[in-house]
Amino acid sequence: MISHEIDYKIIGDDIQIVEIELDPNETVIAEAGAMLFMEDGIQFETKMGDGSEANQSIMGKIFQAGTRVITGESLFMTHFTNRGVGKRKVAFSAPYPGTIMPIDLSKIYGNELIVQKDGFLCAALGTSMKIHFNQRFGSGLFGGEGFILQKLKGDGMAFVHAGGVVIERQLNNEMLRIDTGCVVAFEQSLSFDIQRSGGLKSMVFGGEGMFLATLRGTGRVWIQSMPISKLIQRLSVGGGNAGKESGSVIGGLGRLFED
């Protein structure tokens, strides 16, 4: 096993935290600013890169950190290590209401998971995080947050944060269409693309958005009920008045004439 083996507990319902128990010299890596508390004996260090390649050159670390900036994440990651003589705990909090998903990468197809660009929370040391560009032209043109993704690779535990409730779907040589932005993660065995939601009438008047994420093949996909982009839209000024029309062209036009 390459990654450190860590124990954990998910606490809470609406805004969850993950509490991780580290044995001496075990390390967990996390997004900068995600730490909630840490017990005596835990030491942290901010580094470039995820530490999965111990002999990586300085230029390699700079390049890896630069790709994280493209995805909108911090240039640095924080490494938390238990330097005490017994077990010690460190906890990380979710950035907004939703669900923390514990994922054992050793049980994921190819030990690789494709994750939305802001979904990563923390993981056992040894987990590699790299940028993943969707090769489909439609995804790049219309997908927005679905175009630039993250790839988590390893054989240990990783923790991904999602908005609202999360459901897991197993596809068996099937196709599934999902509201863009609601895809949290999927196995690399699935093909991901962004396609039109339907005919012109449905796109203009349907209120479901003009494009949908489409996954095909065999593998697992995790879906969130309330991505942060949709939450911000609902909480924005005037969002409550728009109702179901907020996702349609007519709804947008109607708000131009409001006092």
Side-chain angles (χ1 to χ4, degrees):
M1 186 170 183
I2 299 175
S3 301
H4 287 194
E5 187 174 358
I6 58 176
D7 298 317
Y8 71 92
K9 179 170 65 173
I10 304 294
I11 302 173
D13 296 313
D14 298 326
I15 303 180
Q16 296 183 325
I17 69 171
V18 54
E19 184 183 80
I20 295 177
E21 186 176 69
L22 299 175
D23 291 329
N25 297 318
E26 282 186 343
T27 300
V28 60
I29 58 176
E31 285 290 353
M35 191 271 292
L36 178 64
F37 71 82
M38 57 182 178
E39 294 182 343
D40 185 35
I42 299 288
Q43 295 183 7
F44 67 93
E45 185 178 2
T46 301
K47 299 181 180 181
M48 279 190 179
D50 50 43
S52 60
E53 300 178 30
N55 299 321
Q56 190 178 33
S57 66
I58 295 297
M59 289 303 298
K61 292 180 180 179
I62 292 175
F63 176 77
Q64 185 184 51
T67 59
R68 285 176 48 77
V69 174
I70 295 176
T71 65
E73 305 296 345
S74 170
L75 184 65
F76 299 94
M77 298 195 68
T78 309
H79 295 227
F80 296 85
T81 304
N82 180 5
R83 300 299 186 189
V85 294
K87 295 178 180 292
R88 295 291 185 270
K89 295 178 181 178
V90 57
F92 305 95
S93 60
Y96 52 88
T99 304
I100 295 177
M101 301 161 39
I103 297 177
D104 187 349
L105 293 175
S106 67
K107 299 179 180 179
I108 298 296
Y109 177 86
N111 296 148
E112 293 183 351
L113 185 70
I114 310 301
V115 180
Q116 66 175 358
K117 64 181 181 179
D118 60 349
F120 172 75
L121 184 62
C122 60
L125 179 65
T127 303
S128 169
M129 277 163 293
K130 296 182 179 179
I131 192 171
H132 176 78
F133 286 105
N134 199 304
Q135 301 299 315
R136 298 279 186 170
F137 176 75
S139 299
L141 191 60
F142 305 111
E145 56 200 298
F147 176 52
I148 301 178
L149 304 163
Q150 292 186 93
K151 179 187 292 185
L152 305 183
K153 183 175 183 179
D155 57 2
M157 292 300 303
F159 300 88
V160 175
H161 180 259
V165 176
V166 175
I167 59 173
E168 177 185 329
R169 289 290 302 269
Q170 171 69 51
L171 302 185
N172 297 299
N173 196 25
E174 298 171 293
M175 180 187 73
L176 184 66
R177 291 180 176 177
I178 306 170
D179 183 14
T180 55
C182 289
V183 178
V184 182
F186 57 93
E187 293 181 307
Q188 63 168 346
S189 56
L190 293 173
S191 172
F192 177 84
D193 195 9
I194 302 292
Q195 297 184 347
R196 291 191 315 174
S197 59
L200 181 60
K201 182 178 179 180
S202 297
M203 292 170 63
V204 174
F205 300 103
E208 300 300 335
M210 300 181 70
F211 299 93
L212 295 173
T214 303
L215 290 102
R216 290 185 175 89
T218 299
R220 286 179 288 173
V221 56
W222 288 263
I223 306 169
Q224 59 186 346
S225 64
M226 183 60 70
I228 184 61
S229 57
K230 185 177 291 187
L231 178 62
I232 292 173
Q233 179 186 5
R234 294 298 184 184
L235 295 177
S236 63
V237 178
N241 296 329
K244 291 294 289 184
E245 293 181 345
S246 60
S248 68
V249 173
I250 294 300
L253 291 175
R255 290 195 296 276
L256 293 177
F257 299 97
E258 291 180 353
D259 294 333

